[in-house]
Amino acid sequence: MLVAERDIVAGRFVWRGRHRSPWRGIAPTGRHVEFRGMTFWRIHDGKISERWAEIDFVDLERQLKD
């Protein structure tokens, strides 16, 4: 989902996949994972001039380690 107002665009995302390669020292588990995050972009002259992101890697790591 994307929302825009003035020069800011905000996106809320859900990523889903299978853990097939090492990630932050965690060997591949083959597990299906799902995690969420938000990204904000500031647009200036039709180009991205700034980007901020919040991604819930804590939840992803919990799914890989449980």
Side-chain angles (χ1 to χ4, degrees):
M1 172 200 236
L2 293 175
V3 177
E5 185 172 316
R6 294 186 305 270
D7 63 342
I8 300 290
V9 178
R12 175 85 171 127
F13 303 97
V14 177
W15 291 274
R16 293 178 183 96
R18 185 181 296 268
H19 181 216
R20 293 187 176 176
S21 61
W23 189 78
R24 291 188 179 186
I26 302 171
T29 62
R31 294 179 182 171
H32 286 280
V33 294
E34 177 179 304
F35 58 103
R36 292 168 169 70
M38 294 186 74
T39 303
F40 299 86
W41 300 271
R42 181 180 307 277
I43 309 299
H44 181 73
D45 290 335
K47 296 180 182 179
I48 297 171
S49 62
E50 297 178 59
R51 176 188 169 272
W52 308 272
E54 175 278 319
I55 301 171
D56 192 355
F57 288 129
V58 172
D59 184 47
L60 174 60
E61 286 189 15
R62 181 192 54 75
Q63 292 176 60
L64 298 177
K65 291 179 178 179
D66 285 348

